[in-house]
Amino acid sequence: MEISLLFSPESPPLSVIVAARISEVAILPDPSLPPASDPVFVFSSGLKLHGTNTLLRYLGRVSSLSNFYGQDALESAQIDEWLEHATIFSYGSEFETACGHVDAHLALRTFLVGYSLSIADVSIWSGLAGTGQRWESLRKSKKYQNLARWFNSITAEYGVLSEVTASYVGKRGLGKAPATSSKGIEPSSSQAVSRKENVTNGEVVLKEKTGGFEVDLPGAKVGEVCLRFAPEPSGYLHIGHSKAALLNQYFADRYKGRLIIRFDDTNPSKESNEFVENVLKDIETLGIKYDNVTYTSDFFPQLLDMAESLIVKGKAYVDDTPREQMQKERMDGIESRCRNNSGDANLSLWKEMIAGSERGLQCCVRGKLDMQDPNKSLRDPVYYRCNPVPHHRIGTTYKVYPTYDFACPFVDSVQGITHALRSSEYHDRNAQYDRIMADMELRPVQIYEFSRLNMVYTLLSKRKLLWFVQNGKVDGWDDPRFPTVQGIVRRGLKIEALIQFILQQGASKNLNLMEWDKLWTINKKIIDPVCPRHTAVLEDRRVILSLSNGPEKPFVRVIPRHKKYEGAGMKATTYTRRIWLDYADASLISEGEEVTLMDWGNAIVKEIKKENGIVTQLHGVLHLEGSVKTTKLKLTWLPETDELVNLLLLEFDHLIKKKKLEEEDDFLDNLNECTKKETAALGDSNMRNLQRGEIIQLERRGYYRCDVPFIRPSKPIVLFAIPDGRQQASLN
């Protein structure tokens, strides 16, 4: 029976392709699905199977290899657990944790399950191989020797694996388009639907359907594309910058090109080394693979020469018109009185500017473009202005600095950039960019526009974000209420969720206002299958349930931290005669009602004590033979012991209360008064071992990220609530 394998070219299902090759099952690859799509088997009968693990299980069952899906039900179940674990290798922050877990498991084993190769081995092997250079570097470092031994052994045993990785995996990881057909796998003619190559004089144009848009870099040549991500070091990267960075990464990968990080450090009044360091940290967090880091300030000498050259050629002039008057004249299309000054007069004032003299500080350099152009960006824009503030990299070497509008086209051209990605908010400046470059007589650069990412209830202006920091409204640029990369990660967002969210939007030029709920929903799907489960009871009015037939002495059971994910490890649960319940749960119980105590069994509440209508104590008996299916209430609980830990649960809300601020709105008039809520709680003793950044689920309460781990009994563990995509109530 003929089988077609449909998948996204950005994320080929390496494990499925490998399993098919090893099993000698012929499949026809068809990379025509949009990003974030699950792979699909389409049979000649018309039937379909969806999802990587489903396809692997099918291949495991039909394979000619013995025990490829286990020799019995137990081994098959163990294999299923490993299939779920394999996805963690694609999560940047969890990669080495996953490596360590598998390395320990393989200490005394040749294969992950049983005594022969299975789809579990194929899945984990592919998860590692699919990361490209990241795993290669780690493998050679000998940090995980058991894992490397196992990986090398499988690679040597099955030579087809190297062929498959050569076709589908590049240095940056999965996403390399198949170059040639491989033995046992025939290329599909429908491949042309997603990847169209028109070759004319060596030019290759890639068109690819991705999330409903077409990727098409005009004039792009595979292997010759050079892109730049050019943040200004005046703040930390936020979610909007992330879109620009990830799209640059996407195109660099798609065209096998270069990606340069360039700091546009042309305004020393706003910039600092702190911002440079944290932007680089954010870029690493996003998993951006770049070729080198440069600075616009590296080009200051050439920019000075270019400005002087334009002055000499009459294409620029020095203007001492007061700032407000200049702005009004530009709006009204009125030429400056300085516009027709002589070349000598302009050069004389230019030297005053370079010296930073009192006279020079009154001046700026403007391009002589067109003061009557309907596009106001072409009305003699400012090229250079004085600034006596020391530069964070080069100190007091210069007293004059180029504007972004002047420096950007120059450096783009000189650096060899072929395509400059700019958000559509700069659309009116594109003509200015081209005109300035033409006046400079430099090689043109193709502009590629994409829509700015706007989020509801969110400010993305670095100037406004800085106000919150400087006025103590937040704890810093990494505050979990901030839309910065560090802020949203600190709140509990996985970077892979952000990447999925952004790639789903693609490079559309349509302005859009996105909901946070959609992003947090994606995040939940990533964290829920793997995050450990723990228990907490709120401090306020918590209630004791005394079980008359409970254990005379406390006893401990070791149970999984996640019932469906072995990699989460184990936890010790203590069982006692007296247990704590949340007041909210206790107030719902009726006398004589049978309830289920989670991870224990049923109990019957015989007596409820109240004071002024408030439940203060419960008495009951264990009824462990009772059926959990018959009870209405399934309750979390904690033992009454001295081993419990203090918790501080923090919830957050948006910093502004209006969904979308209009141009006429002042953000200061729309501040949310209550954006943080703290709740004291008790947690199970296993939470002493939580690490900073670890994500857990407090059962029946929600997902949390550990921000401050256990230090001493008197200092609470601080947990940040992670939104799950459902509408949350106001904290007021």
Side-chain angles (χ1 to χ4, degrees):
M1 184 163 47
E2 185 178 277
I3 306 173
S4 293
L5 170 61
L6 278 63
F7 58 90
S8 164
E10 284 73 35
S11 52
L14 194 64
S15 57
V16 176
I17 297 169
V18 167
R21 290 295 303 276
I22 291 175
S23 303
E24 297 184 351
V25 176
I27 58 175
L28 305 175
D30 182 358
S32 59
L33 296 182
S37 299
D38 289 334
V40 181
F41 269 170
V42 180
F43 297 89
S44 53
S45 63
L47 294 175
K48 296 180 181 180
L49 292 176
H50 299 78
T52 299
N53 289 346
T54 299
L55 308 191
L56 282 174
R57 293 185 184 103
Y58 171 80
L59 291 171
R61 291 186 175 102
V62 302
S63 174
S64 58
L65 294 178
S66 60
N67 304 327
F68 202 37
Y69 191 24
Q71 65 176 351
D72 52 35
L74 178 58
E75 283 195 359
S76 295
Q78 291 176 310
I79 288 171
D80 287 340
E81 288 186 331
W82 282 111
L83 297 187
E84 293 180 10
H85 185 79
T87 59
I88 301 180
F89 288 106
S90 63
Y91 306 165
S93 58
E94 304 290 340
F95 181 77
E96 290 213 28
T97 302
C99 287
H101 174 69
V102 183
D103 183 74
H105 180 79
L106 289 168
L108 300 174
R109 294 178 172 89
T110 303
F111 299 100
L112 291 172
V113 177
Y115 301 98
S116 60
L117 186 81
S118 70
I119 54 173
D121 297 290
V122 169
S123 183
I124 299 297
W125 186 96
S126 301
L128 290 167
T131 64
Q133 195 61 44
R134 182 169 192 181
W135 164 242
E136 282 302 301
S137 300
L138 204 58
R139 181 168 67 95
K140 294 173 183 176
S141 71
K142 299 183 179 180
K143 185 174 182 180
Y144 302 107
Q145 294 189 10
N146 300 319
L147 186 58
R149 164 185 52 79
W150 166 86
F151 185 92
N152 295 339
S153 174
I154 292 176
T155 305
E157 180 71 19
Y158 298 93
V160 296
L161 301 183
S162 297
E163 296 177 23
V164 175
T165 51
S167 297
Y168 289 92
V169 183
K171 287 185 178 180
R172 294 188 174 107
L174 276 175
K176 181 179 179 181
T180 58
S181 61
S182 301
K183 180 181 178 182
I185 303 179
E186 295 299 326
S188 169
S189 60
S190 61
Q191 188 172 331
V193 173
S194 72
R195 188 174 188 268
K196 180 181 179 183
E197 298 191 1
N198 297 323
V199 183
T200 308
N201 297 326
E203 178 179 343
V204 180
V205 178
L206 293 179
K207 283 192 175 181
E208 184 143 359
K209 290 266 183 155
T210 308
F213 72 100
E214 278 200 341
V215 175
D216 187 355
L217 282 181
K221 297 180 181 180
V222 172
E224 297 183 21
V225 168
C226 184
L227 302 153
R228 47 70 168 168
F229 174 55
E232 181 187 1
S234 57
Y236 291 29
L237 290 191
H238 58 56
I239 190 169
H241 300 127
S242 301
K243 179 175 182 179
L246 290 167
L247 285 176
N248 272 287
Q249 171 86 79
Y250 169 83
F251 285 124
D253 289 344
R254 182 95 337 255
Y255 287 93
K256 302 178 180 62
R258 298 174 64 236
L259 175 58
I260 294 171
I261 303 299
R262 185 178 77 226
F263 286 99
D264 275 329
D265 53 344
T266 60
N267 189 350
S269 299
K270 296 182 178 180
E271 299 158 359
S272 71
N273 285 321
E274 175 202 351
F275 294 140
V276 170
E277 292 166 3
N278 280 281
V279 167
L280 288 173
K281 177 181 177 181
D282 295 338
I283 288 170
E284 181 179 358
T285 299
L286 290 169
I288 303 298
K289 308 299 181 187
Y290 53 86
D291 291 274
N292 58 313
V293 176
T294 65
Y295 299 80
T296 296
S297 55
D298 295 335
F299 298 86
F300 278 179
Q302 299 98 306
L303 283 161
L304 276 173
D305 291 342
M306 177 57 73
E308 186 162 322
S309 172
L310 293 177
I311 292 172
V312 169
K313 294 176 180 178
K315 295 182 178 181
Y317 61 96
V318 179
D319 194 349
D320 62 358
T321 303
R323 186 186 187 95
E324 290 185 6
Q325 181 184 339
M326 184 186 300
Q327 290 176 339
K328 186 177 186 304
E329 288 178 351
R330 288 192 70 195
M331 292 297 293
D332 297 339
I334 299 172
E335 292 187 359
S336 167
R337 58 179 175 78
C338 302
R339 197 172 197 266
N340 296 311
N341 283 351
S342 68
D344 289 342
N346 282 323
L347 287 174
S348 176
L349 288 174
W350 171 236
K351 290 178 181 178
E352 294 287 344
M353 288 181 63
I354 292 174
S357 68
E358 184 176 348
R359 177 71 177 118
L361 292 173
Q362 299 171 348
C363 303
C364 68
V365 176
R366 296 176 67 181
K368 189 181 288 188
L369 304 186
D370 185 350
M371 286 298 293
Q372 275 67 54
D373 197 294
N375 183 342
K376 292 182 174 62
S377 74
L378 289 167
R379 295 183 181 179
D380 292 8
V382 174
Y383 284 176
Y384 258 91
R385 73 278 197 234
C386 289
N387 192 336
V389 174
H391 191 277
H392 66 94
R393 285 188 75 223
I394 51 181
T396 57
T397 303
Y398 298 97
K399 301 295 188 297
V400 290
Y401 293 92
T403 60
Y404 173 85
D405 290 338
F406 181 74
C408 187
F410 177 88
V411 181
D412 279 350
S413 184
V414 171
Q415 256 191 327
I417 304 302
T418 60
H419 295 78
L421 271 62
R422 287 159 65 112
S423 63
S424 52
E425 64 185 303
Y426 289 104
H427 177 76
D428 289 345
R429 292 180 180 234
N430 291 348
Q432 180 201 80
Y433 178 95
D434 292 337
R435 171 64 186 276
I436 293 174
M437 194 172 287
D439 281 357
M440 292 176 174
E441 299 177 7
L442 294 174
R443 174 190 61 83
V445 175
Q446 179 73 49
I447 292 174
Y448 188 93
E449 283 190 342
F450 62 92
S451 65
R452 174 187 168 116
L453 175 61
N454 296 302
M455 305 295 294
V456 296
Y457 302 107
T458 302
L459 297 170
L460 293 179
S461 162
K462 284 191 281 189
R463 177 182 61 82
K464 294 172 182 176
L465 294 178
L466 182 62
W467 181 89
F468 282 92
V469 175
Q470 292 178 334
N471 288 275
K473 300 295 184 182
V474 294
D475 298 329
W477 287 90
D478 66 344
D479 189 285
R481 292 164 289 187
F482 254 19
T484 55
V485 172
Q486 293 185 37
I488 56 180
V489 167
R490 190 176 173 204
R491 193 168 182 180
L493 186 79
K494 289 290 188 181
I495 288 299
E496 52 272 24
L498 177 61
I499 293 172
Q500 282 187 36
F501 176 72
I502 288 174
L503 289 183
Q504 282 177 11
Q505 300 167 55
S508 168
K509 297 177 177 61
N510 298 321
L511 293 175
N512 45 21
L513 185 66
M514 302 300 296
E515 297 280 349
W516 283 100
D517 291 346
K518 183 176 181 181
L519 175 58
W520 291 115
T521 297
I522 295 172
N523 193 62
K524 177 186 175 182
K525 292 179 180 178
I526 291 171
I527 64 176
D528 181 74
V530 296
C531 70
R533 272 51 172 169
H534 287 275
T535 303
V537 169
L538 301 187
E539 280 267 18
D540 185 39
R541 298 190 295 181
R542 65 189 189 278
V543 177
I544 279 286
L545 168 58
S546 298
L547 299 165
S548 60
N549 62 340
E552 293 185 9
K553 293 183 179 181
F555 68 91
V556 176
R557 285 180 185 156
V558 177
I559 62 175
R561 293 174 81 199
H562 190 309
K563 292 181 176 64
K564 296 181 179 179
Y565 175 54
E566 182 183 353
M570 309 296 284
K571 63 182 178 180
T573 299
T574 303
Y575 299 80
T576 56
R577 181 169 289 189
R578 287 163 56 87
I579 61 175
W580 290 110
L581 299 180
D582 269 314
Y583 175 79
D585 287 339
S587 63
L588 296 174
I589 301 173
S590 304
E591 282 194 359
E593 182 176 2
E594 186 167 359
V595 299
T596 296
L597 304 175
M598 293 176 64
D599 292 329
W600 194 349
N602 285 5
I604 301 173
V605 177
K606 298 289 189 179
E607 181 183 2
I608 300 176
K609 291 187 176 182
K610 297 183 178 181
E611 293 181 9
N612 300 320
I614 303 297
V615 177
T616 57
Q617 196 169 2
L618 303 173
H619 293 275
V621 295
L622 285 172
H623 185 232
L624 299 182
E625 62 272 24
S627 171
V628 298
K629 296 179 180 179
T630 62
T631 58
K632 182 175 68 174
L633 298 177
K634 274 71 174 175
L635 308 178
T636 46
W637 56 274
L638 287 174
E640 186 190 38
T641 72
D642 295 333
E643 296 298 313
L644 301 182
V645 295
N646 293 312
L647 305 177
L648 188 63
L649 309 180
L650 269 67
E651 299 174 74
F652 302 99
D653 203 351
H654 302 295
L655 291 170
I656 58 173
K657 57 189 177 183
K658 189 172 182 181
K659 195 168 189 177
K660 180 185 179 184
L661 291 183
E662 304 298 339
E663 286 188 15
E664 64 272 14
D665 290 330
D666 187 339
F667 79 96
L668 294 175
D669 296 330
N670 290 277
L671 299 182
N672 197 347
E673 294 180 5
C674 181
T675 61
K676 181 167 69 172
K677 179 182 178 182
E678 299 181 353
T679 305
L682 294 175
D684 65 71
S685 60
N686 301 278
M687 295 170 72
R688 294 171 185 266
N689 300 319
L690 290 180
Q691 302 297 310
R692 187 173 193 270
E694 188 171 353
I695 290 176
I696 63 171
Q697 183 187 62
L698 294 181
E699 294 197 279
R700 299 179 58 239
R701 198 171 299 282
Y703 303 96
Y704 290 81
R705 177 191 173 276
C706 178
D707 193 65
V708 179
F710 180 82
I711 300 173
R712 55 182 179 274
S714 61
K715 190 173 179 62
I717 297 169
V718 179
L719 300 177
F720 288 175
I722 304 173
D724 61 5
R726 294 179 293 183
Q727 291 286 337
Q728 69 174 55
S730 171
L731 298 182
N732 291 317

